[in-house]
Amino acid sequence: MMTKILLLITCLFCSVWANAQTEQLLLMPYPQNVERQQGQLVLGETIDFAVEGKKSAAITALVTTLGKRIQQQTGQTFRLKKTALNKAQLVIRVANVQPISNLIADWDESYQLNITAAKIELTATQSVGAQRGLETLLQLVGTDKTISLPVVSISDHPRFKWRGLLLDTSRHFFSVATIKRQIDAMAAAKYNIFHWHLTDDQGWRLESKKYPKLHKLASGGEYYTRKQIRDVVAYARARGIQVLPEIDMPGHASAIAVAYPELMSAPGPYAMEYRWGVHKPTLNPANEKVYEFADAIIAEVTELFPFEYVHIGGDEVDPEHWNTNPDIQSFMQTQGLKDHRALQAYFNQRLQKILQKHQRKMIGWDEIQHKDLPNDIVIHSWRGPDGVSDAVSHGFQAILSTGYYLDQAQTGAYHYRNDPIPPKPLVIKNIANDELIHSWRFEMPRKRGRPVTGTFTFIGNDKNIRQAFVDFTGKSRREVLVKSYAKGQAIFSLDTWMGPVEFRVNLSAKNIHGYAIVGNAPYALSGEKIDAKVSAAQAQNTSERFAQKYLPKTEPVTHLSAEQEALILGGEAALWAEIVNEQSIDLRVWPRGFIIAERLWSARDLQDENTMYARVNSVERWAEKSIGLLHRQQQLNALQTLAGKNEIAPVKMFVDLLEPAHYYHRQHEKSAYETYSKADPLNRLADALPAESETIRQFNQRLAVWLKNPQENADYVALRAELELWRANRKQLQPLLIQHPEWTSLANKVDAVARSSLELLELRVRTDALAPSERKKVLELIQHARALDQELVVATVTSLEKILNSFTSS
């Protein structure tokens, strides 16, 4: 019986994607221009191919890789046979067969892929374009044993020049084999920058000839030899990817302090740092030996990495040691440097000249931006769209990483909505005579760091809120989507640097209270009314100037011109490795890495999230076979370890109904209750979960369709069968709960939510009325189930809430 229910659910849920899949090819990133025609090209076990143009080892390697990966994808013996141009079934034309240039300005990644019923033609100006085109072709080949290609004409090029992925190998060390696997996946996703974060407080990972104590004393024995680095750089370049090294200076320098304390701003003593967070050791800008050190290290780096940029970090410099060092204070006075920011700018100017001497350009995080640095540097923003706007408005080039942090559990949809081009500044429209301005100040405490503070404002009248926005402290104004505003309550949402945030607040004449769901977990919220309500009728005009007078303060942001937007080079996904290791890296990066890659490559107006999910679900299965990604296997390995000798199926269904807490909730939990260091094990239930539950996402999609017409139909049967499976799994899970009693509270929540969802689903077929007492009971369950539990949340609570909200309020 259970098998029949599972088969029914699988068939019904698969039908959800049928229409979406017929409209778009299952490609990611999606090409700029796709013209489909009727017909197919069916390939046999042998393809006759020809290369038109200059012979090269790079193109020969591409063809060899193509044949190998088709075999991996299809499981069939496959052969590429060279032939004359007029007899070829596959023709590759490349004008410039040189490998990817070390200079960004030289890159041309465009390609044309034409498939007819008789032939495949791939044309590119550069070999890197041919590489991008072959990845598209490999996705079209798919994983079926029979290769049947659509008749299609594709003309493609990247939207942004800079499309990077940062891997942090300082917090947790990754083997060369693991890094190469990520590079293979990056090439498949059409990334072109591997940002290698090689140094930080917790370890120096680069072999140094001039300063050998760095890798001998400050790496814990885990570092990359010069030979290994050359190997990785060559491996990446052969796949159309440049390697950007990051050497953190002057902060994030605890590892340097262990090896060479004489270069630091405080005397020490220093020991290896295993705690996560921002630490105090900082290079001494008043010491000329520091610049000799930087010169020698950059000389070694440029010898190993041919790319035109070197990343210097430059973020999160704690000035305490600068402020308490009398020699540094005297130096600042002599140089006319008024504060620590000016001192860091001085250091960066010296560093920029060293880089220039070695024919390299500087890239660094937001904090390096300064008017005395040349405009050919790149500002890498972790602070968000405002940082990008500020950089390009001052003539600097910029890239964005905020919204693309893969170490944070976030939904693919959130990443997909995030764009390197900042939203335009919010304009407050004229206030009508019957409209009011209501503003409240709020505070959301966190378990680590300062509270999140700001204000939110509604403009409108009792019948209609025409405009609403949030001013987070230190951030520019952002418009919100108002979901409800009545009876002293408001629900509104927006995307933020923390992820999607939904405010649910109770309003009174003076105070507010409630909570905000940040990602998928709640933050308590409190605050007060800023001032009495003000109407436009009380003023003598309805101008924007009047509106600004009564609005909360906000951070100014520039309206970017087309020329300034052109300075935005693109973006980078980032995997910081505090809670990621060798056993979970693929599970953290992929398949979300494909989603971010599409946002950086494909057209901006490609926004439909449902088709995006359909395509990424297809591409992740393809990538598993084509390039050997281990995201599924890593989850299964982790679950099997947790299950021990028990059957894995119950725990697999169990975790499908959970999600890791999004944003930095997990890190905050560890900070509050554990050591928050490398000593913390990464072998828990939370470490075995992907960022979001695809099971719940698909369930909620079907639920939304059914709630438009809640009848006993096929959708109802599928939804009910799924809920019954979730309930039945509680019994199957019992042996594991004996082994892992800490899971019991989560299992009880899942069971209670499934039971309540079933009851409401059945009731909703008959009526849309719900007794207040029953509503209160369900709301209490939702609140209980939504609370963090072992760094996890019960994802099924979103489904229960959707059913509850479909009932009318009495």
Side-chain angles (χ1 to χ4, degrees):
M1 180 63 183
M2 188 68 72
T3 303
K4 290 182 179 179
I5 293 175
L6 277 169
L7 182 61
L8 171 64
I9 292 170
T10 301
C11 293
L12 288 169
F13 272 107
C14 285
S15 69
V16 170
W17 303 117
N19 291 334
Q21 290 180 346
T22 58
E23 292 183 7
Q24 287 189 332
L25 296 170
L26 296 176
L27 300 173
M28 184 171 277
Y30 206 74
Q32 299 287 346
N33 297 290
V34 176
E35 295 181 10
R36 296 187 64 177
Q37 299 176 16
Q38 294 295 321
Q40 293 178 325
L41 169 61
V42 178
L43 300 179
E45 293 182 356
T46 300
I47 291 183
D48 294 328
F49 79 94
V51 176
E52 184 178 337
K54 195 173 181 180
K55 292 182 179 179
S56 85
I59 299 302
T60 300
L62 279 181
V63 173
T64 301
T65 300
L66 176 67
K68 177 183 175 182
R69 286 177 58 188
I70 290 176
Q71 289 193 64
Q72 289 174 186
Q73 291 173 207
T74 63
Q76 298 298 302
T77 302
F78 190 84
R79 192 164 71 98
L80 283 162
K81 180 183 176 184
K82 194 169 185 178
T83 189
L85 192 64
N86 61 349
K87 296 180 180 179
Q89 198 175 20
L90 168 63
V91 176
I92 300 174
R93 299 185 183 92
V94 184
N96 182 348
V97 295
Q98 296 302 311
I100 186 170
S101 169
N102 296 325
L103 306 177
I104 291 177
D106 294 342
W107 297 350
D108 184 348
E109 300 175 86
S110 64
Y111 67 91
Q112 291 75 45
L113 179 63
N114 294 309
I115 302 175
T116 68
K119 183 184 290 187
I120 304 167
E121 293 180 288
L122 174 62
T123 304
T125 302
Q126 296 181 3
S127 59
V128 67
Q131 289 172 313
R132 308 303 181 229
L134 282 176
E135 291 295 346
T136 299
L137 176 59
L138 282 163
Q139 287 189 18
L140 289 171
V141 166
T143 57
D144 291 342
K145 291 183 178 181
T146 301
I147 302 174
S148 180
L149 302 176
V151 173
V152 65
S153 178
I154 293 174
S155 179
D156 199 12
H157 62 273
R159 179 178 167 219
F160 289 105
K161 204 81 166 179
W162 190 296
R163 307 178 312 282
L165 172 62
L166 178 153
L167 294 182
D168 169 16
T169 58
S170 180
R171 274 51 175 264
H172 278 95
F173 185 78
F174 300 118
S175 68
V176 169
T178 292
I179 289 173
K180 286 183 175 180
R181 188 170 67 251
Q182 308 315 308
I183 290 172
D184 287 337
M186 287 174 64
K190 300 183 174 66
Y191 285 101
N192 59 10
I193 303 285
F194 166 35
H195 179 165
W196 200 349
H197 189 78
L198 285 160
T199 77
D200 213 302
D201 289 300
Q202 293 79 16
W204 182 280
R205 307 299 179 200
L206 171 74
E207 180 186 10
S208 172
K209 291 191 296 185
K210 188 68 180 289
Y211 290 89
K213 287 194 287 186
L214 288 168
H215 65 270
K216 290 180 179 179
L217 300 181
S219 72
E222 295 180 320
Y223 64 92
Y224 303 100
T225 66
R226 293 166 61 84
K227 182 179 178 180
Q228 287 175 319
I229 288 170
R230 285 194 174 97
D231 180 34
V232 169
V233 169
Y235 191 87
R237 290 193 74 203
R239 286 152 183 79
I241 295 169
Q242 283 288 359
V243 182
L244 170 71
E246 181 177 354
I247 310 296
D248 264 324
M249 291 185 279
H252 284 283
S254 298
I256 301 175
V258 170
Y260 296 95
E262 65 271 19
L263 299 177
M264 309 311 291
S265 301
Y270 297 100
M272 280 295 291
E273 183 61 77
Y274 293 108
R275 298 169 300 155
W276 309 135
V278 179
H279 302 289
K280 299 183 186 302
T282 313
L283 289 170
N284 182 353
N287 183 352
E288 281 300 313
K289 295 290 185 182
V290 166
Y291 302 104
E292 293 176 16
F293 168 82
D295 189 17
I297 292 297
I298 288 171
E300 291 191 272
V301 166
T302 55
E303 183 186 347
L304 295 169
F305 299 91
F307 187 40
E308 65 177 312
Y309 284 94
V310 171
H311 204 299
I312 66 156
D315 61 315
E316 299 180 317
V317 175
D318 187 328
E320 182 177 317
H321 289 177
W322 286 353
N323 293 338
T324 56
N325 184 316
D327 292 337
I328 292 176
Q329 291 300 302
S330 176
F331 176 80
M332 290 174 64
Q333 188 173 8
T334 301
Q335 295 291 330
L337 305 172
K338 63 179 181 179
D339 56 23
H340 72 272
R341 292 183 179 86
L343 181 60
Q344 185 174 356
Y346 170 87
F347 175 84
N348 287 339
Q349 289 168 56
R350 294 282 303 269
L351 197 56
Q352 191 273 332
K353 287 181 172 61
I354 293 171
L355 284 165
Q356 191 175 44
K357 167 187 166 184
H358 293 283
Q359 299 179 316
R360 293 295 185 271
K361 296 175 186 175
M362 178 186 288
I363 176 172
W365 301 104
D366 298 83
E367 292 93 327
I368 76 164
Q369 184 178 324
H370 192 269
K371 61 182 178 60
D372 291 334
L373 286 171
N375 282 350
D376 66 355
I377 74 169
V378 175
I379 305 301
H380 188 176
S381 183
W382 66 273
R383 292 179 170 176
D386 292 347
V388 171
S389 292
D390 186 55
V392 300
S393 68
H394 286 90
F396 296 102
Q397 298 174 101
I399 60 174
L400 177 71
S401 275
T402 310
Y404 302 141
Y405 274 29
L406 293 169
D407 54 305
Q408 293 180 13
Q410 299 282 14
T411 66
Y414 166 69
H415 295 309
Y416 202 56
R417 292 192 297 268
N418 196 60
D419 195 273
I421 305 295
K424 298 188 184 303
L426 183 61
V427 175
I428 306 303
K429 301 170 186 175
N430 290 346
I431 312 298
N433 286 336
D434 66 338
E435 291 184 324
L436 304 172
I437 301 173
H438 298 273
S439 295
W440 287 266
R441 187 178 293 110
F442 68 84
E443 178 176 285
M444 298 171 3
R446 297 183 291 181
K447 292 179 181 176
R448 180 181 176 88
R450 293 189 300 269
V452 175
T453 60
T455 64
F456 57 82
T457 299
F458 298 101
I459 300 175
N461 53 42
D462 292 339
K463 296 181 179 179
N464 178 47
I465 296 298
R466 179 175 55 79
Q467 197 166 21
F469 48 85
V470 169
D471 294 286
F472 288 104
T473 303
K475 306 285 184 182
S476 64
R477 182 163 288 159
R478 290 287 181 260
E479 193 159 20
V480 303
L481 173 65
V482 179
K483 298 183 176 179
S484 68
Y485 183 86
K487 299 179 181 178
Q489 294 182 326
I491 300 176
F492 51 97
S493 63
L494 75 163
D495 282 340
T496 75
W497 77 97
M498 300 178 287
V501 175
E502 182 170 279
F503 288 83
R504 301 181 178 188
V505 294
N506 297 306
L507 313 169
S508 69
K510 294 183 178 180
N511 299 307
I512 59 170
H513 67 276
Y515 60 97
I517 300 174
V518 179
N520 59 6
Y523 275 177
L525 178 152
S526 62
E528 66 280 333
K529 191 79 178 286
I530 291 178
D531 52 35
K533 58 187 178 182
V534 178
S535 72
Q538 292 171 300
Q540 295 180 349
N541 63 73
T542 58
S543 67
E544 184 181 333
R545 181 180 300 176
F546 160 76
Q548 296 297 341
K549 180 179 178 181
Y550 291 100
L551 295 176
K553 296 178 77 172
T554 190
E555 291 294 316
V557 64
T558 303
H559 189 295
L560 301 181
S561 65
E563 291 77 12
Q564 289 168 329
E565 284 192 359
L567 293 172
I568 300 171
L569 296 179
E572 278 190 8
L575 184 78
W576 301 105
E578 288 91 342
I579 56 171
V580 183
N581 61 14
E582 229 12 58
Q583 287 69 48
S584 61
I585 181 172
D586 291 33
L587 183 60
R588 293 286 160 261
V589 178
W590 310 104
R592 287 184 298 153
F594 279 99
I595 296 170
I596 296 170
E598 176 160 289
R599 181 48 58 228
L600 300 177
W601 177 283
S602 304
R604 188 175 190 176
D605 61 3
L606 196 67
Q607 298 286 339
D608 186 81
E609 294 173 9
N610 289 331
T611 56
M612 176 274 287
Y613 275 112
R615 287 182 291 108
V616 78
N617 287 340
S618 173
V619 168
E620 71 151 328
R621 292 188 290 272
W622 164 84
E624 190 174 27
K625 288 190 173 182
S626 184
I627 50 183
L629 278 183
L630 301 177
H631 53 292
R632 291 170 182 264
Q633 190 60 50
Q634 286 181 344
Q635 181 181 31
L636 290 175
N637 290 346
L639 293 178
Q640 191 61 69
T641 299
L642 290 167
K645 296 180 180 180
N646 293 296
E647 172 62 40
I648 196 174
V651 70
K652 179 63 173 68
M653 179 174 287
F654 180 45
V655 299
D656 283 346
L657 310 182
L658 306 172
E659 285 181 343
H662 289 177
Y663 175 48
Y664 276 138
H665 292 301
R666 289 191 64 191
Q667 286 86 337
H668 295 172
E669 288 289 292
K670 290 179 183 297
S671 296
Y673 303 117
E674 300 184 56
T675 58
Y676 192 48
S677 74
K678 200 170 182 177
D680 295 333
L682 299 179
N683 58 358
R684 305 175 185 179
L685 204 57
D687 298 299
L689 270 66
E692 64 180 312
S693 169
E694 179 62 12
T695 295
I696 299 305
R697 194 193 67 79
Q698 290 196 27
F699 182 89
N700 284 343
Q701 189 177 34
R702 181 173 289 279
L703 179 62
V705 172
W706 179 75
L707 286 173
K708 293 176 183 177
N709 180 30
Q711 305 293 326
E712 290 190 18
N713 51 25
D715 286 329
Y716 173 76
V717 172
L719 293 167
R720 179 170 175 169
E722 186 88 339
L723 289 168
E724 288 174 344
L725 270 180
W726 298 349
R727 284 222 60 206
N729 192 57
R730 178 64 175 78
K731 183 178 181 181
Q732 304 301 318
L733 196 64
Q734 190 57 39
L736 278 159
L737 298 182
I738 296 172
Q739 183 179 339
H740 295 281
E742 70 274 13
W743 297 355
T744 303
S745 61
L746 282 166
N748 290 342
K749 290 178 186 177
V750 167
D751 186 54
V753 170
R755 186 189 313 114
S756 183
S757 298
L758 265 172
E759 292 171 355
L760 288 188
L761 194 77
E762 294 170 355
L763 180 63
R764 189 65 185 85
V765 172
R766 302 190 300 273
T767 179
D768 66 352
L770 189 66
S773 59
E774 184 62 23
R775 177 179 294 275
K776 181 181 178 182
K777 184 175 73 173
V778 176
L779 285 172
E780 288 173 351
L781 171 59
I782 289 171
Q783 184 177 7
H784 174 64
R786 182 166 268 141
L788 289 182
D789 191 336
Q790 299 165 73
E791 304 168 13
L792 298 165
V793 297
V794 176
T796 50
V797 75
T798 60
S799 308
L800 175 58
E801 194 167 48
K802 288 178 188 297
I803 303 171
L804 177 66
N805 290 340
S806 73
F807 289 89
T808 57
S809 298
S810 55

